[in-house]
Amino acid sequence: MSSLGRQHPLANVDWLTVIVYGALVIFGWMNIYSAAVVDTHPNPMDMSQEYGKQFLFILISSFLGLMVLYMEGEFFNKFAIYIYGLFILLLLLVLAIGTTVNGAKAWIQIGGFALQPAEFAKIGVGLMLAKYISNTKAKFNNWKTRLIAAVIIGVPALLILLQPDVGSLLTFVAFILALYREGLSGNVLIIGLGAIVFGVLSIITGFNKINYPFFGEQSGVFILMTIVFVIGLVFMLMIKNFVVPRNRKKLYLITILSTVAAIGFSFSVNFMIDKVLAKHQKTRIYVTLGLEEKEEDRSEMSGDAETAEAADIVIRSKNDDPGYNARMAKIAVGNGGFFGQGYMQGPMTKNKYVPERWTDFIFSVISEEWGFIGSLAVIGLFVFLIVRLINMAERQRSQFSRVYGYCVASIFFLHLLINVGMVIGLAPIIGIPLPFMSYGGSSLIGFTLLLFIFLRLDAERLSVFR
Amino acid sequence: MNLDGRRITIILIVCVIAIIFVIRLFFLQVVNSTWKEQATALTEEEIPLYPPRGIIYDREGRMLVTNQTVYNLMVVPKKVQPFDTLSLCNLLRIQPSDITTLFAKAKARGEYHRPQLLVEQIAPADYAAISEQLYKFEGFFAESRTLRVYPQRAGALFLGDVGKISPGEYKANPYYTKQEYIGKSGIEKAYETELRGIKGIKYAFRDNVGNIKDQEGDKEDQAAIPGTDLICTMDADLQNYGEKLMQNKRGCIVAIEPSTGEILAMVSAPTYDPNLLVGRVRGHNFNVMTNDAQKPLFNRATQAQYRPGSIFKLAQSLTALSVGAITAQTRIHCNRGIIGCHGNHSYDDLEMAIVHSCNPYFREVMHRVVEGNRDPKSRFRDARLGLEIWQGYIQRFGFGTDLHCDIPSVKTGNVPGVEFYDKWYGKEQWAFSTIYSLSIGEGEMLVTPLQMCNMACVIANRGWYVAPHTVKQIGIGGKPREDFLVRYDLGIDTAHFTTVVNAMEKVLQPGGTAWRSALKDIVVCGKTGTVQNAGGKEDHAVFICFAPKDNPKIAIAVYTENAGFGGTWSAPVATLMIEKYLNDSIAKSSEAREKLIFDANFLDR
């Protein structure tokens, strides 16, 4: 089952994907330069500055990517388990000797550079999942398969949670999408979506305190629970009256279980928010749901706040204002207009209002300077890339390659979803990079390897059948 | 299990999310403009460029008001690094608590990142020492501003002052920002638009910590247009001399060139050095002067409303002659039964009645004007018709009006008419006998010294006046405002003035009430007045005059409060002013009079 080795290694490589990759990387670098440029260091290759370093990372990534293309695809199949193990070790190592940045012990310091193992761990998980599923011809209708897949994903996820790096953790949800393609029940997606909607409802109702008769002031979530309970009762009555007796028992059980689960879920969501999450995480969730500003309004109305000038209301230090980052990002995006403020011309970018503007918020820089057109182009390129990867995955004869391809596509999708969603105010502020565009060596190299391994596998699609 | 459809499902999920993002972006970037407004509010700083205020010169080209640079010490609290508080406080001569309270205030207003004013208006000499040290204190910087300075130290109320804009002024005029300065009185207020020039704008960026950076590209800066220089009507020497004459007195002098209406001097005593209301001392001095019992900030020349007294007999004479109630030859007995009189006379004609200031004569003159038997059936209705005519004539002199002058907040005085007395006594409840004190300038009649001087101008011109004004040229070599090129003609026959002018000439001749103030080589025509005072205080001394008799060059009104006889205390002031203005020096023969006036002190009366 090895490569036939008749062709040049770079034959059959999907160059269109490579071009899209190159376009995103170069465009990202241009915008990093715009966001980070210092007047005294105008050279884009100045190694003391972010843009210079990013240039170096691009060179390294290109080299590593090319190296991967020259490797045997079989290597990744054979060594999947070792690669997975290596990254698990790195994740353990970071917990032991990592340095802490922004509250997460996520970095291993090597000389002048810091390595973020979480960015690489996804490769390991992708390869390992592909290996497991393709080897065992696993079927997702049995619990054992589900459990093993969950363990493969769960172990690194748990280690990342210990850092704690909630952002990176969330991207592991991507693998569910890949598993769905391989037969995991669609109910998982539906239940997941339902849980998100119901969870949001729980948080919103739980945010307000309501003065109940007899019980005094309590969380508003009890109203929601009561409504769920009443709906449950109504279902029971409907079943009793409209369903033939032999089917009743099963439906009773389903209704009772889901009612209890729903009530339990909404209770635990609020418990999580109140007791488990750190204050800033809690605030971020409230800000995204538009609740935190309400709290602000209240305090402003009660105080005798003078009507300050518009600018003064907006500018507050980050510490005073939980919504600062989210609002600055939105203002920058909105300021782009249709055609953008022009490259290197974004006032919100140039004047440093946009937070973390060359890393997690690079998309707001693009939006401000390149406008709706630029944002559309970037989203378009990503959608093109993801859809192309899915279609490429589908054309694999090898299940290993297909599963891995789906993993790659799903990971890019989830990063896009969370990162862009955060910038345009549809998702909470979660610090994960925009693939290929955000500044950062670990993420660029990690994403490059992730993609190029699949390009290697794809190049061999005609010659292998694993 | 058939899994082929799942590819489509996954692609659909990706596309739906992408479409949601694109729609959201479209609303953020294209549909909704509030984000752009917020971005502009955040990042753009329009730095106003203040033009230098126009300079004011006197009619001889001497500089009266000019500008001086001072420095405001500003601080951006957010940028302040730990510093040597004590040495900074010593340097700026402030208390450490001044800084902490300012910071607390800035925080409360949500302006922690914006420049705050710590010390205002530091003089250039003091600033030199501060600027050397300032680099040590991160976050502190200086901003230059210009202040008014008055090299002649005279004409405070004539020139006016400049102060921080009040909330009312700010609301009324969109040109200004809340921190700006504006003319508050005098020429500074009346010619504010000319003097201030036009502000420029410098566009700059403000970054997230309040640093200001020059903006390139997009918006072009607008240069400031400097204020217009003015040549005012004042003669600085005459003004200075007038202020010296009025030292230790309450009252005022108004001097006008009759042919042009140009105000040559306007003294309101007690006076003050206008430099006292500038800069850091302004607030303190303003309070002190506001609370001063002598009211130095009160412009007596335009805002004090006095009863005119005997000088009013001139207007009465001209009115009666015009109406035809009397002729120049009309003689009336000095019947002192109804109204008192003074001096030794019994049956004067008009000229001599003016010279003697005969009260019964003028009572009868007004009697004939007001009760002209226009309604034979009722004395009351007759008086209503007569007073209406009388009031019309008196108002033609400018009494009861603002004279169309360019001095802010002048008072109009009061020329009581039918409406006034109807309100006071009730309709047809009054006749001449009720109101006869008007005839000698007492009673309800109120005039300002500016109006008195204007009457002198009318007589000097034999029948017309130009609205009194303070600015001769807007821009060097320019013209005054158009209203000041217009003559107001009273419509009184020039011949009637001859009698009055001749009488006024005799006032300064032996036997006249002001003969001691006569000048050797200049024929002065004048009229004295002595206005009684309620409460047993000394009378007010009044004098109006013009000179020379033919082709008059100057008309003057002098009002000295609680001084006594007009002939004794106000006439010499007026003639000394005339001498100073026309001869440029005081003759030996006048020196005794000058000393008498310099030394007189009526402040405690």
Side-chain angles (χ1 to χ4, degrees):
Chain A
M1 280 206 261
S2 65
S3 149
L4 300 181
R6 283 197 297 265
Q7 282 171 314
H8 187 272
L10 296 187
N12 289 328
V13 167
D14 192 75
W15 291 110
L16 192 56
T17 305
V18 177
I19 289 168
V20 173
Y21 161 81
L24 289 171
V25 168
I26 301 292
F27 193 53
W29 182 45
M30 281 171 65
N31 285 289
I32 290 167
Y33 180 75
S34 172
V37 68
V38 181
D39 291 345
T40 49
H41 298 78
N43 184 354
M45 287 156 204
D46 189 322
M47 284 303 149
S48 66
Q49 302 299 323
E50 281 78 11
Y51 33 94
K53 288 182 193 161
Q54 182 76 358
F55 178 68
L56 181 68
F57 300 147
I58 291 172
L59 291 182
I60 295 171
S61 299
S62 311
F63 173 74
L64 291 177
L66 203 64
M67 227 175 70
V68 166
L69 289 183
Y70 274 97
M71 283 168 78
E72 291 283 331
E74 181 62 16
F75 169 85
F76 298 105
N77 186 14
K78 280 229 170 83
F79 288 84
I81 192 158
Y82 302 106
I83 296 170
Y84 179 75
L86 174 72
F87 289 132
I88 296 284
L89 274 178
L90 277 176
L91 285 175
L92 284 169
L93 193 66
V94 81
L95 287 177
I97 62 158
T99 45
T100 306
V101 178
N102 289 336
K105 204 175 186 186
W107 307 84
I108 296 175
Q109 202 73 36
I110 307 165
F113 290 98
L115 192 76
Q116 195 182 6
E119 296 292 352
F120 296 96
K122 295 159 200 161
I123 304 171
V125 174
L127 288 172
M128 189 64 206
L129 270 183
K131 176 87 176 173
Y132 169 68
I133 292 166
S134 62
N135 264 9
T136 56
K137 303 288 170 215
K139 290 278 178 285
F140 276 93
N141 48 11
N142 71 59
W143 283 99
K144 190 188 160 200
T145 315
R146 291 180 191 173
L147 192 69
I148 292 177
V151 169
I152 292 172
I153 301 168
V155 169
L158 187 72
L159 292 173
I160 288 170
L161 181 63
L162 289 175
Q163 291 181 355
D165 181 354
V166 179
S168 294
L169 177 70
L170 267 174
T171 60
F172 277 64
V173 173
F175 295 111
I176 293 173
L177 215 56
L179 295 183
Y180 166 72
R181 166 62 186 82
E182 295 306 319
L184 185 68
S185 165
N187 291 344
V188 175
L189 293 183
I190 292 165
I191 290 172
L193 194 69
I196 289 172
V197 172
F198 195 67
V200 167
L201 272 177
S202 303
I203 294 168
I204 292 174
T205 50
F207 182 78
N208 294 303
K209 293 266 181 284
I210 292 176
N211 206 354
Y212 294 91
F214 307 119
F215 298 103
E217 190 156 280
Q218 293 291 335
S219 165
V221 77
F222 293 115
I223 294 253
L224 185 74
M225 292 180 180
T226 314
I227 291 170
V228 169
F229 184 71
V230 169
I231 290 173
L233 276 181
V234 169
F235 262 84
M236 298 284 267
L237 283 170
M238 278 165 65
I239 292 162
K240 191 181 171 195
N241 293 321
F242 302 112
V243 178
V244 282
R246 62 188 150 113
N247 288 341
R248 277 184 199 162
K249 206 176 166 189
K250 193 182 164 195
L251 285 172
Y252 277 145
L253 198 67
I254 291 175
T255 309
I256 290 169
L257 279 179
S258 40
T259 307
V260 170
I263 291 173
F265 179 71
S266 90
F267 185 79
S268 48
V269 163
N270 276 295
F271 182 79
M272 279 278 287
I273 293 225
D274 271 354
K275 304 277 149 55
V276 179
L277 287 188
K279 190 170 182 295
H280 71 276
Q281 288 163 330
K282 188 170 147 182
T283 315
R284 282 173 184 177
I285 290 169
Y286 284 153
V287 167
T288 309
L289 297 177
L291 297 171
E292 197 58 67
E293 266 156 10
K294 251 196 206 163
E295 200 170 55
E296 213 170 70
D297 288 347
R298 284 186 204 148
S299 64
E300 258 174 13
M301 281 195 302
S302 61
D304 57 337
E306 241 177 74
T307 24
E309 282 170 47
D312 295 319
I313 299 171
V314 184
I315 310 182
R316 294 229 192 101
S317 72
K318 279 189 200 176
N319 304 334
D320 297 349
D321 182 359
Y324 179 87
N325 285 359
R327 193 166 58 244
M328 290 301 128
K330 259 192 279 182
I331 293 173
V333 171
N335 196 32
F338 194 80
F339 292 108
Q341 296 279 342
Y343 182 53
M344 311 265 297
Q345 304 284 318
M348 295 291 291
T349 302
K350 291 278 112 183
N351 295 301
K352 305 174 194 160
Y353 288 93
V354 180
E356 307 287 332
R357 54 198 177 283
W358 50 83
T359 57
D360 297 344
F361 283 87
I362 190 76
F363 189 75
S364 63
V365 173
I366 296 166
S367 291
E368 185 182 27
E369 299 194 339
W370 301 86
F372 180 67
I373 297 287
S375 317
L376 196 66
V378 169
I379 290 177
L381 279 178
F382 269 108
V383 169
F384 177 84
L385 179 70
I386 291 163
V387 172
R388 177 141 192 101
L389 287 174
I390 289 170
N391 288 336
M392 281 161 68
E394 286 291 342
R395 74 187 180 192
Q396 305 302 317
R397 291 186 205 163
S398 142
Q399 197 186 10
F400 175 82
S401 303
R402 186 180 71 210
V403 175
Y404 182 72
Y406 263 100
C407 286
V408 175
S410 307
I411 286 169
F412 290 155
F413 172 59
L414 219 80
H415 273 267
L416 181 77
L417 176 73
I418 294 174
N419 183 284
V420 175
M422 154 185 97
V423 170
I424 63 182
L426 293 177
I429 305 292
I430 293 166
I432 64 165
L434 187 61
F436 312 129
M437 306 194 89
S438 287
Y439 168 79
S442 296
S443 79
L444 181 60
I445 295 168
F447 286 124
T448 304
L449 291 177
L450 190 70
L451 178 66
F452 277 71
I453 288 172
F454 180 62
L455 287 179
R456 177 67 252 158
L457 295 174
D458 175 65
E460 292 174 12
R461 67 186 181 274
L462 298 173
S463 49
V464 290
F465 190 81
R466 294 187 185 97
Chain B
M1 205 185 332
N2 184 4
L3 300 174
D4 292 346
R6 297 206 163 179
R7 177 179 73 102
I8 304 298
T9 311
I10 292 172
I11 290 177
L12 268 179
I13 292 173
V14 173
C15 290
V16 166
I17 294 290
I19 288 166
I20 290 172
F21 280 6
V22 169
I23 291 170
R24 169 76 171 176
L25 277 165
F26 188 75
F27 273 89
L28 275 178
Q29 299 192 285
V30 184
V31 177
N32 195 335
S33 64
T34 57
W35 301 107
K36 283 177 207 66
E37 285 157 19
Q38 285 198 43
T40 309
L42 274 172
T43 58
E44 259 182 29
E45 180 89 9
E46 288 182 5
I47 302 171
L49 300 173
Y50 296 105
R53 213 172 156 83
I55 294 168
I56 306 177
Y57 300 91
D58 88 336
R59 59 193 295 119
E60 304 293 332
R62 286 170 288 224
M63 196 180 274
L64 292 175
V65 190
T66 182
N67 301 311
Q68 165 199 4
T69 306
V70 293
Y71 298 87
N72 284 350
L73 201 96
M74 314 292 289
V75 56
V76 178
K78 197 174 177 174
K79 289 206 291 200
V80 171
Q81 302 294 321
F83 61 98
D84 182 353
T85 318
L86 200 64
S87 73
L88 182 73
C89 288
N90 286 337
L91 190 65
L92 301 176
R93 290 184 222 130
I94 55 174
Q95 298 298 316
S97 61
D98 294 344
I99 301 180
T100 46
T101 47
L102 181 74
F103 280 25
K105 261 191 223 160
K107 192 150 209 169
R109 280 186 303 224
E111 294 182 341
Y112 212 61
H113 59 284
R114 308 207 74 178
Q116 306 289 323
L117 178 64
L118 181 60
V119 185
E120 208 173 359
Q121 297 170 347
I122 303 168
D126 297 336
Y127 177 68
I130 294 168
S131 68
E132 280 173 13
Q133 307 272 327
L134 208 56
Y135 74 93
K136 292 184 198 160
F137 307 101
E138 182 90 11
F140 293 85
F141 64 97
E143 241 178 38
S144 69
R145 264 217 98 99
T146 59
L147 281 186
R148 291 306 238 183
V149 58
Y150 305 84
Q152 297 281 339
R153 300 174 173 274
L157 293 169
F158 181 98
L159 297 168
D161 61 336
V162 172
K164 219 170 237 171
I165 193 162
S166 71
E169 288 164 332
Y170 169 72
K171 244 181 221 166
N173 202 329
Y175 173 87
Y176 301 95
T177 58
K178 275 182 189 165
Q179 294 300 315
E180 256 171 89
Y181 288 75
I182 188 170
K184 290 286 185 182
S185 63
I187 292 178
E188 298 278 18
K189 180 172 183 177
Y191 292 85
E192 167 68 15
T193 21
E194 287 88 352
L195 286 169
R196 76 182 177 204
I198 298 171
K199 261 184 296 185
I201 303 174
K202 187 184 163 97
Y203 291 98
F205 278 131
R206 185 186 334 104
D207 76 6
N208 62 334
V209 288
N211 290 321
I212 304 294
K213 278 188 297 184
D214 266 4
Q215 196 172 16
E216 297 138 31
D218 267 21
K219 291 187 177 170
E220 212 158 302
D221 295 348
Q222 293 163 24
I225 298 170
T228 311
D229 294 346
L230 301 180
I231 291 190
C232 73
T233 57
M234 182 208 281
D235 182 309
D237 280 357
L238 188 66
Q239 175 78 22
N240 259 320
Y241 186 64
E243 290 184 9
K244 212 172 159 200
L245 289 172
M246 291 303 281
Q247 67 191 5
N248 296 324
K249 297 164 194 75
R250 259 191 324 275
C252 59
I253 307 173
V254 183
I256 299 178
E257 185 176 75
S259 59
T260 58
E262 291 168 5
I263 301 175
L264 302 169
M266 191 166 70
V267 179
S268 174
T271 184
Y272 61 93
D273 180 348
N275 293 303
L276 289 177
L277 285 188
V278 167
R280 297 171 79 171
V281 293
R282 177 181 164 89
H284 171 75
N285 288 339
F286 197 87
N287 280 338
V288 169
M289 287 200 262
T290 307
N291 296 325
D292 190 329
Q294 307 285 4
K295 297 191 178 165
L297 295 177
F298 178 62
N299 190 349
R300 291 176 161 82
T302 58
Q303 293 175 323
Q305 305 181 98
Y306 298 109
R307 278 174 287 134
S310 297
I311 59 164
F312 193 59
K313 289 167 183 164
L314 301 174
Q316 293 286 36
S317 307
L318 290 163
T319 303
L321 288 169
S322 262
V323 175
I326 56 165
T327 67
Q329 288 72 41
T330 305
R331 285 175 184 273
I332 294 167
H333 284 289
C334 182
N335 175 0
R336 302 185 181 186
I338 301 170
I339 196 164
C341 201
H342 34 72
N344 190 15
H345 57 274
S346 57
Y347 192 52
D348 281 340
D349 62 2
L350 178 60
E351 191 176 304
M352 288 321 290
I354 293 172
V355 175
H356 293 138
S357 204
C358 177
N359 288 341
Y361 187 96
F362 283 98
R363 196 204 76 88
E364 180 55 24
V365 164
M366 190 172 173
H367 184 200
R368 292 183 189 182
V369 172
V370 173
E371 292 190 358
N373 209 16
R374 293 177 187 89
D375 188 338
K377 284 178 195 152
S378 161
R379 204 154 57 88
F380 298 105
R381 282 202 292 277
D382 192 19
R384 286 167 68 84
L385 292 171
L387 193 68
E388 191 101 47
I389 292 167
W390 175 85
Q391 190 192 25
Y393 271 95
I394 297 303
Q395 280 171 342
R396 290 192 208 175
F397 287 88
F399 294 122
T401 73
D402 65 0
L403 289 172
H404 317 285
C405 69
D406 61 359
I407 304 167
S409 45
V410 290
K411 287 285 191 301
T412 59
N414 183 31
V415 180
V418 172
E419 207 178 311
F420 180 88
Y421 287 115
D422 275 355
K423 223 184 252 170
W424 197 274
Y425 297 110
K427 201 174 172 184
E428 293 182 27
Q429 298 292 304
W430 53 272
F432 176 70
S433 54
T434 327
I435 60 169
Y436 70 86
S437 32
L438 284 181
S439 58
I440 57 164
E442 301 279 348
E444 293 78 18
M445 183 76 198
L446 290 175
V447 307
T448 66
L450 184 69
Q451 290 169 336
M452 298 178 199
C453 188
N454 191 58
M455 178 173 71
C457 289
V458 169
I459 299 168
N461 292 333
R462 276 76 169 171
W464 54 269
Y465 70 94
V466 177
H469 54 278
T470 54
V471 170
K472 197 174 156 68
Q473 294 178 10
I474 298 174
I476 308 298
K479 284 188 169 166
R481 285 193 187 157
E482 277 186 17
D483 332 5
F484 304 133
L485 300 170
V486 183
R487 285 181 181 190
Y488 292 91
D489 202 304
L490 271 62
I492 293 176
D493 194 340
T494 317
H496 297 325
F497 284 92
T498 318
T499 320
V500 173
V501 170
N502 286 340
M504 287 173 77
E505 188 184 355
K506 289 209 173 95
V507 168
L508 284 107
Q509 286 171 355
T513 46
W515 68 274
R516 266 182 301 220
S517 302
L519 298 174
K520 234 184 195 169
D521 51 350
I522 303 167
V523 181
V524 180
C525 304
K527 176 75 192 83
T528 59
T530 304
V531 178
Q532 285 163 12
N533 243 315
K537 279 197 172 182
E538 202 79 41
D539 295 340
H540 297 320
V542 195
F543 188 71
I544 68 163
C545 64
F546 61 86
K549 182 184 178 188
D550 299 314
N551 206 4
K553 289 273 176 280
I554 180 168
I556 294 190
V558 179
Y559 209 106
T560 318
E561 291 180 22
N562 311 113
F565 286 115
T568 316
W569 294 113
S570 284
V573 173
T575 54
L576 284 166
M577 289 286 282
I578 289 171
E579 206 178 343
K580 178 79 183 171
Y581 182 66
L582 294 181
N583 291 352
D584 228 8
S585 63
I586 302 298
K588 267 234 148 19
S589 55
S590 302
E591 273 174 6
R593 231 177 320 134
E594 189 185 38
K595 187 172 184 315
L596 187 76
I597 297 295
F598 280 163
D599 292 345
N601 186 337
F602 304 125
L603 276 187
D604 302 327
R605 290 188 176 179

